[in-house]
Amino acid sequence: MSMLKSPGQIALMREAGRVVAHALKAVREHADVGISLKELDDVAAAVIRDAGAKPAFLDYHPRWASVPFPGVICASVNDAVVHGIPNGYVLEDGDLLSIDCGAFLEGWCGDAAISFTVGEGDPVDQQLIDATEAALARGIEAAQVGNKMGDVAYAIGGEAKRAGYGLLADHGGHGIGRTMHAEPPVPNIGRPGRGMKLEEGLVIAIEPMLILGGKDDYYHDEDEWTLRSANGRRAAHSEHTVAITAEGPLILTMP
Ligand code: MG
Ligand code: MG
């Protein structure tokens, strides 16, 4: 099956992306000191259900995982970089929270992530979040017909490294469509002018994952899902699903 989507298919993916954006917005508005990750999961589940969509993460079971993912969102707090389980943890003042959410609407998938601080945030954490969003913005700008995948990767990784942050090793974005994780891989580190040519109709999830302290290493929490920074420092994650069109990159995961 071709990786490329027609304008009509991209329009359907835009609707799936809208549901994800609404779920993330609702979670962000609900997140506060004293609120549990499980409560945030319930908020996202309700938005997705009310939109007639299906959660993409719940029961997701890749080969490498011994148990299926138990939540609608990934909720990754502080040194958790990605894939945090929305459990009974209660948010504390100053926590750095990353929320990743995916949904299927009429068989098409949207996938996006945001990071923010709870209560009185540390400016150091806000700078990390700003840099993660900047890396995402640079990656999206590079997602142009005629560019190569290496241009996107270089744009993301260059922004992160220049700002002095680490990038989660071995992880990046992905093609997306009828399945959440599809070809091609979208690396966060690369060389300009290298890799596959970006064509009109390619839809990709771009997702920088930045770590304080310039180190890229991680380890798996004993819950087998959560990836934590090896240096114990905080991390941020930002993601959009983006269509490459003749008119330029089109962000699908917007309200
Ligand atoms: Mg995601
Ligand atoms: Mg993704």
Side-chain angles (χ1 to χ4, degrees):
M1 197 178 77
S2 170
M3 283 189 280
L4 304 180
K5 277 84 179 172
S6 69
Q9 291 173 327
I10 289 171
L12 290 169
M13 291 192 72
R14 173 77 183 91
E15 294 312 310
R18 199 186 306 276
V19 174
V20 172
H22 286 157
L24 286 173
K25 184 166 180 283
V27 167
R28 184 173 193 157
E29 284 169 2
H30 199 79
D32 205 348
V33 176
I35 299 288
S36 75
L37 303 180
K38 177 70 180 85
E39 288 172 78
L40 298 181
D41 199 62
D42 293 342
V43 166
V47 171
I48 290 170
R49 184 187 58 232
D50 292 350
K54 287 198 181 81
F57 296 177
L58 186 66
D59 294 329
Y60 181 65
H61 198 176
R63 263 184 310 246
W64 49 263
S66 68
V67 289
F69 191 76
V72 168
I73 56 172
C74 294
S76 307
V77 181
N78 297 339
D79 65 314
V81 191
V82 287
H83 302 168
I85 292 176
N87 55 24
Y89 176 82
V90 174
L91 289 167
E92 293 179 10
D93 192 36
D95 276 347
L96 194 176
L97 180 59
S98 299
I99 303 289
D100 195 343
C101 185
F104 285 96
L105 185 68
E106 305 204 11
W108 294 97
C109 193
D111 183 12
I114 55 172
S115 293
F116 54 94
T117 55
V118 176
E120 184 95 26
D122 187 331
V124 170
D125 292 340
Q126 192 55 52
Q127 285 166 15
L128 170 70
I129 293 165
D130 292 347
T132 307
E133 291 175 353
L136 174 59
R138 296 294 90 72
I140 293 171
E141 282 164 15
Q144 303 277 354
V145 175
N147 270 1
K148 300 276 183 69
M149 192 63 84
D151 296 314
V152 174
Y154 179 74
I156 298 166
E159 183 74 21
K161 291 293 178 190
R162 258 194 309 280
Y165 297 111
L167 280 157
L168 183 67
D170 314 323
H171 286 74
H174 47 91
I176 180 168
R178 292 280 192 188
T179 58
M180 179 167 58
H181 291 135
E183 292 297 315
V186 181
N188 286 339
I189 297 172
R191 294 168 67 187
R194 300 297 181 93
M196 74 173 276
K197 215 171 151 183
L198 303 182
E199 291 183 70
E200 185 179 350
L202 184 68
V203 182
I204 54 177
I206 302 176
E207 48 182 318
M209 302 155 226
L210 271 56
I211 303 171
L212 275 173
K215 296 279 196 239
D216 306 336
D217 302 336
Y218 65 91
Y219 67 97
H220 279 91
D221 187 281
E222 59 193 22
D223 68 21
E224 298 195 35
W225 273 99
T226 311
L227 299 188
R228 296 188 184 278
S229 67
N231 62 4
R233 308 274 313 264
R234 293 184 168 197
H237 178 209
S238 194
E239 178 180 22
H240 272 306
T241 298
V242 179
I244 293 163
T245 78
E247 291 77 41
L250 177 66
I251 301 174
L252 304 180
T253 36
M254 294 284 257

